[in-house]
Amino acid sequence: MEALIGQFSRFAVSTDLDTNDWVMAATEFGVNETLKDIDRFHASWNHRDNDQQANTTQFLREVAEEDEEKAVGVMKRIYTLADTDSDTLEKYPALEILENQDPGTGVLHTAFRSEQFIDIDNVPGTFYPDLVDDINQCYSLGVNDATLVLTRKLLENLIIDILRKEYGKQEIDLYYLPDNRRFQNFSTLLSNFEKNLGDFEHLSSGLDSDFIDELDSFRQDANAEAHSIETSITEEEMDNYREQAQHSAQVLFRIQENM
């Protein structure tokens, strides 16, 4: 749900919708009082202020805490009022659920899958638990491309953290480009990780060139799906992706834990 709300809020503020559209949708689904309680919601939408997206996110989260079906219902109604094009789902893949469902609160929130895409207990840190939860939420809703893109983000950030923890600032170029003020791209991170595998092999089993190939294969597949206008990933393909992602995440989390 967090992935859907986050992407929808960003999408919504890029449209030419106004407060009247939100009042209509909120009234239709019986949550107009919640809308009124959001400080500066109307003002931020009337004046397109910087807190417009934050207020939208807060409203949808509060509705979802009470009734997720109503939250999805509001988003569906707003989505039908907005002008969308072929690029919309490429930019905001989680919104695919809004196109696949019919209006009406009874069918708007459907879990397509009961199992988790990343099934790991006690995910460490403060960033990773929320990210894994977003991945599993997208997977349960059947939003396949968003699942792969977020999983790619998970694996990429794990490698960055592992390289940073092992080499620190002395070999910062392995994972970061100070002059550009950005991290290395995933392909370069994998290459640098592979060149230094010997420094990590004692921290986890299954850490070899086959593992790097598996990571690179997932990286390329996730990239392809993220940039594809048509998303037609089969269940068999998602099962294979799930197996790859689960194994890769387990190994990387184990390395990080044992460092």
Side-chain angles (χ1 to χ4, degrees):
M1 178 59 71
E2 281 295 296
L4 177 58
I5 289 175
Q7 291 186 28
F8 182 83
S9 297
R10 181 60 181 161
F11 159 75
V13 300
S14 69
T15 69
D16 59 357
L17 297 170
D18 58 33
T19 54
N20 291 328
D21 297 314
W22 283 99
V23 170
M24 181 194 71
T27 302
E28 179 179 349
F29 287 91
V31 294
N32 198 35
E33 290 303 313
T34 303
L35 185 66
K36 291 178 181 178
D37 289 340
I38 303 299
D39 186 38
R40 282 191 41 79
F41 183 94
H42 292 290
S44 63
W45 270 85
N46 284 333
H47 302 291
R48 299 286 173 172
D49 292 334
N50 291 335
D51 58 345
Q52 183 184 16
Q53 183 177 344
N55 292 330
T56 305
T57 300
Q58 182 184 352
F59 166 62
L60 293 172
R61 279 178 173 166
E62 291 191 10
V63 174
E65 286 177 3
E66 295 295 325
D67 190 327
E68 289 191 352
E69 287 188 352
K70 288 186 177 181
V72 180
V74 170
M75 286 186 277
K76 170 68 178 180
R77 182 61 67 232
I78 294 295
Y79 187 74
T80 60
L81 295 173
D83 292 328
T84 59
D85 55 35
S86 59
D87 293 332
T88 300
L89 292 183
E90 183 177 354
K91 294 178 181 178
Y92 312 104
L95 305 191
E96 183 179 2
I97 188 68
L98 304 179
E99 291 199 347
N100 290 345
Q101 301 299 330
D102 295 326
T105 59
V107 296
L108 279 167
H109 184 72
T110 303
F112 290 93
R113 305 180 178 105
S114 58
E115 70 273 14
Q116 294 183 327
F117 194 76
I118 303 291
D119 189 5
I120 296 177
D121 294 329
N122 301 317
V123 176
T126 56
F127 167 73
Y128 290 115
D130 288 340
L131 180 54
V132 170
D133 185 60
D134 285 346
I135 291 168
N136 290 330
Q137 288 278 0
C138 288
Y139 183 66
S140 71
L141 290 170
V143 189
N144 295 331
D145 46 0
T147 302
L148 298 182
V149 170
L150 291 176
T151 303
R152 180 192 185 282
K153 179 180 179 181
L154 169 68
L155 301 177
E156 183 174 9
N157 277 273
L158 279 168
I159 293 176
I160 289 172
D161 282 346
I162 288 170
L163 293 173
R164 176 165 44 194
K165 191 172 183 180
E166 178 68 17
Y167 302 109
K169 293 183 179 180
Q170 292 181 340
E171 298 185 58
I172 194 172
D173 289 344
L174 289 174
Y175 57 89
Y176 189 73
L177 297 171
D179 292 341
N180 296 22
R181 296 182 179 181
R182 65 172 179 84
F183 289 103
Q184 297 276 16
N185 61 49
F186 200 174
S187 178
T188 302
L189 289 168
L190 275 178
S191 177
N192 291 339
F193 186 48
E194 183 176 20
K195 291 175 183 177
N196 294 278
L197 270 188
D199 293 340
F200 304 99
E201 288 176 343
H202 66 287
L203 299 174
S204 175
S205 60
L207 195 57
D208 51 27
S209 59
D210 289 340
F211 176 72
I212 298 297
D213 290 342
E214 182 178 65
L215 274 174
D216 192 48
S217 175
F218 189 93
R219 176 191 67 84
Q220 295 183 53
D221 290 337
N223 281 350
E225 296 301 342
H227 295 95
S228 175
I229 296 176
E230 296 184 6
T231 55
S232 56
I233 310 173
T234 66
E235 282 299 308
E236 182 178 357
E237 288 174 330
M238 284 304 295
D239 287 342
N240 290 334
Y241 291 144
R242 179 171 174 261
E243 184 177 342
Q244 290 177 357
Q246 176 73 18
H247 177 248
S248 298
Q250 282 179 329
V251 172
L252 294 175
F253 273 125
R254 189 183 305 124
I255 293 171
Q256 188 186 53
E257 182 181 358
N258 290 334
M259 293 181 72

